[in-house]
Amino acid sequence: MATIKEIAEIVGVSSSAVSRVLNYDEGISVSDETREAIFATAEKIGYKKRVIYPKIENVALLYFVDHEDELEDVFYHGVKDEIIKQAKKMNIQLSIYDRKDGMDHVPKDLSAFIAIGWLTRKEINALYKRCKRGVFIDTSPDEKLFDAVKPNMDSFVTQMVDYFVEKGHKRIGFIGGSDRNIDTGKPSMDIREWSFRQSAAYYGYLNEEYIFISERFTVDDGYRMGKELLKKEILPTALCVASDTLAVGVLQALNEGNIQIPEQVAVFSINDVNIAKYLSPPLTTIHIDIPCICETALDLLRNRVLYGGRVTKLVFVNGIPVFRKSC
């Protein structure tokens, strides 16, 4: 590993001078040529400055994911593991609370929190009384009060519909789940369904007969809706599926119905879970960058705690299509 001492020897200056230049110390008196030589040498030999993170204590990780949802959707479990790993690297001390603990167990003297999962309006209000510095991941229940980081689901579905239209598909279906209203707890339209309806209507291909919605995003629900789809006299030639967990069930139903994929029905999903590449056929899906989402959330939290950021931010993280044999 390259060191400051090596840079100093190459440039012909002291290690102290190199350190101060690399740390942008304006009080150091060196020529522009020497400054440029130090940076150029550091880049050439692969020097990486060690980042020292100020310690942030008393941060709560609220993992309010229903047990069933966690089993069926590995996305949340992946986010939890990545947050814990990155928080340790960034010197952020986490205490973890889940839904069974309830809001009563969350301390009232938090310095900040990160929330994963779904909270009611009552829980959000109680949380705001305890701590006004928080970041939500995957949801943005109140953008006036808290920061949030979300996968750009609207864009994902638009990309899927655009892709199918470019390939000549006109009968395009959608299989998804519902969101929940934070005030009533009742099902509401998920952003993925809304985006599909907007995109399909734009092209003049919106067909209500090809839209199937469940209350949950599970393999069983995907299988059930796949079976409902097979009852149609004329099948869609392409399916946008809201998550890989639903898609697993959908593919199972289509395979049992002897439907050739993608020759008869092409399938495009979201998440890129590990199992996606092993399905039959391997699933075309949009990869969600969980490390990027977590890093962004922790950066927002650090900005709040260390620098007193006051303006709330909503950040959308884009994904990358991974094309396999289902399309």
Side-chain angles (χ1 to χ4, degrees):
M1 182 180 292
T3 65
I4 286 178
K5 183 179 179 181
E6 289 179 68
I7 299 172
E9 290 175 351
I10 294 171
V11 178
V13 295
S14 68
S15 296
S16 174
V18 172
S19 177
R20 293 178 66 181
V21 168
L22 291 178
N23 284 286
Y24 301 95
D25 184 346
E26 296 181 358
I28 180 80
S29 178
V30 296
S31 67
D32 291 341
E33 290 79 6
T34 299
R35 192 182 302 272
E36 290 175 7
I38 289 172
F39 280 110
T41 302
E43 183 175 356
K44 183 178 180 180
I45 68 174
Y47 173 77
K48 293 183 179 180
K49 186 171 69 172
R50 183 184 176 190
V51 178
I52 300 176
Y53 293 98
K55 187 174 185 179
I56 300 177
E57 299 179 306
N58 203 21
V59 177
L61 173 57
L62 307 179
Y63 190 64
F64 277 36
V65 176
D66 294 335
H67 182 61
E68 184 177 73
D69 289 345
E70 180 182 354
L71 291 177
E72 297 288 352
D73 195 339
V74 296
F75 170 77
Y76 291 112
H77 192 73
V79 170
K80 177 184 177 183
D81 288 346
E82 186 66 26
I83 280 289
I84 293 171
K85 182 176 75 173
Q86 291 197 22
K88 184 177 181 180
K89 176 183 175 182
M90 293 185 183
N91 208 16
I92 297 173
Q93 184 183 68
L94 290 179
S95 297
I96 303 172
Y97 305 90
D98 60 26
R99 181 166 292 285
K100 71 174 181 289
D101 294 325
M103 289 301 300
D104 291 339
H105 286 78
V106 179
K108 296 182 180 180
D109 59 345
L110 293 174
S111 60
F113 71 85
I114 295 174
I116 305 170
W118 190 86
L119 279 74
T120 66
R121 171 63 68 183
K122 182 179 179 180
E123 289 171 331
I124 293 167
N125 289 341
L127 191 55
Y128 188 69
K129 290 180 180 179
R130 284 171 167 79
C131 180
K132 294 177 172 55
R133 296 188 292 258
V135 183
F136 281 79
I137 295 179
D138 193 47
T139 62
S140 52
D142 197 325
E143 296 161 18
K144 302 185 303 296
L145 302 180
F146 299 114
D147 295 328
V149 183
K150 303 172 65 176
N152 196 351
M153 295 295 185
D154 184 8
S155 174
F156 296 170
V157 176
T158 299
Q159 291 179 57
M160 294 158 71
V161 175
D162 289 345
Y163 170 81
F164 283 138
V165 172
E166 289 173 4
K167 293 297 181 181
H169 294 278
K170 296 182 179 179
R171 300 197 309 273
I172 305 173
F174 178 80
I175 291 180
S178 60
D179 199 352
R180 278 183 285 180
N181 184 291
I182 64 170
D183 294 307
T184 65
K186 295 182 179 179
S188 61
M189 184 179 294
D190 181 73
I191 183 62
R192 285 161 282 194
E193 179 188 351
W194 181 90
S195 181
F196 175 80
R197 289 179 176 278
Q198 295 295 312
S199 298
Y202 173 80
Y203 289 110
Y205 297 153
L206 181 62
N207 186 336
E208 293 291 339
E209 290 190 8
Y210 295 151
I211 298 177
F212 299 85
I213 305 298
S214 69
E215 288 192 10
R216 302 173 303 167
F217 291 82
T218 70
V219 173
D220 288 342
D221 283 277
Y223 179 76
R224 176 181 57 78
M225 290 186 286
K227 286 293 191 181
E228 288 295 317
L229 174 67
L230 291 174
K231 295 177 183 178
K232 299 296 180 181
E233 185 175 345
I234 300 176
L235 295 178
T237 61
L239 278 177
C240 299
V241 185
S243 77
D244 287 354
T245 47
L246 287 173
V248 170
V250 172
L251 288 179
Q252 182 180 351
L254 294 179
N255 285 326
E256 289 179 3
N258 295 316
I259 301 300
Q260 298 299 309
I261 307 168
E263 290 81 7
Q264 290 176 271
V265 180
V267 180
F268 203 146
S269 182
I270 297 173
N271 268 19
D272 192 27
V273 296
N274 288 334
I275 196 175
K277 57 180 171 286
Y278 301 115
L279 297 174
S280 180
L283 183 63
T284 291
T285 182
I286 292 181
H287 176 76
I288 296 178
D289 193 330
I290 290 177
C292 179
I293 288 173
C294 295
E295 181 182 10
T296 303
L298 290 171
D299 282 343
L300 289 173
L301 183 142
R302 292 179 67 250
N303 180 64
R304 284 276 179 183
V305 175
L306 299 176
Y307 308 112
R310 298 179 62 186
V311 178
T312 56
K313 299 175 182 177
L314 172 60
V315 180
F316 289 100
V317 177
N318 290 317
I320 302 173
V322 179
F323 292 98
R324 299 190 180 102
K325 293 183 179 180
S326 71
C327 279

